[in-house]
Amino acid sequence: MASVPRYVRETVDRHLNEIERFQEMSVVLAVARGSHAWGAAGPNSDYDVGFVYAPTDLRRYAHLGGVEAVCLEERGNFEYQGWDVRKFASLLADSNDGAVDLLRSPNRYRTHYDPDPLADYVERTYNPIDLYHAWRGIATNNYRKYLSEHLVRNDDKIFPILEHREDEYLVETDEGTTIVAADDERFTETGTRPTVKRNLTVMRAATAAHYLKATGERGDHELPALEFETFLEAQAPAVFDDERIDRARDLLERKRGGEGGVRIGDAVGRAFAHPPKRIDPAVHARDGPDRARLNDAIDELIAASR
């Protein structure tokens, strides 16, 4: 388990107690998410906390209003995202990357429920194709939003710019490419924020997607380590060349050193940030976690909340 400063643990515990009281819930598992979970936190990084909860009064599950599936709270530089036990189990059934990583987080703030047995089970049974598309989506969406130059049409549709010309743009479309005149008033060129932090987010997601695809085609669908430095040292050399690994490590070190907000342009590359849209289901798909086992996990989580 990674070391967490005492004041952070005390602050998180106080916040969780307040959330429990105001939301009438019991938090059974709480862990670090984001950069503090995968080893990229800098001196000014916020603390993202993921947690799983059950209502204090279980009769609420039968009430017309039901139980809120998601709880979001922000307190200073601490941000909290919680899932009700049923929502959490349903995300695991779908091999959701956030739910899987919550179980794998090394920094645990509250463990009324021991996540290790469930984590071991999910890591053996997750559906690789679901995780692949989740990571691919993170990479491509963040690349478009933060790294790529693009035009925005007046209906809010985005067109990545592939080439600047004297009086026109060559842009990407769903069908291929097209030309947009520079004076076409329907389009606006939008600036992006290609910082170290944004590049690292894209790099990490893209490497995870490429790695899962490559190892699946090799026959084992090896799950990338949550801690990014561990992944780069122990797993990445089997799939990526030294230049790609060095580029990823440089982003990680700069983020840790407090340079997350420094603009650096596109350090990932458009092609790498866009893993293939389609991969072979015959190779990469499987049933995923058994729902009966996840129902047992719901029972265990609720029992831990009493």
Side-chain angles (χ1 to χ4, degrees), residues 127-189:
N127 186 357
I129 201 168
D130 286 342
L131 272 181
Y132 172 84
H133 285 297
W135 284 325
R136 182 188 183 280
I138 292 170
T140 58
N141 290 337
N142 279 275
Y143 184 88
R144 181 181 65 247
K145 186 174 181 180
Y146 296 111
L147 304 188
S148 75
E149 296 178 305
H150 51 265
L151 299 180
V152 180
R153 199 167 60 192
N154 53 19
D155 61 358
D156 293 330
K157 186 172 178 59
I158 291 174
F159 297 84
I161 299 171
L162 301 179
E163 184 180 341
H164 287 270
R165 298 174 179 175
E166 183 175 351
D167 56 358
E168 63 187 16
Y169 301 92
L170 175 67
V171 300
E172 182 181 8
T173 69
D174 293 338
E175 293 74 31
T177 62
T178 192
I179 298 295
V180 175
D183 60 357
D184 190 328
E185 296 182 355
R186 296 174 302 163
F187 294 85
T188 302
E189 183 173 352

Side-chain angles (χ1 to χ4, degrees), residues 2-3 28 35-36 47 56-57 75 83 101 106 139 187 204 237 262 303 306:
S3 176
V28 295
S35 61
H36 284 278
Y47 288 88
T56 305
D57 185 353
R75 299 174 183 236
W83 290 313
D101 285 350
F187 294 85
R204 179 173 175 265
V262 175
R306 299 302 95 191

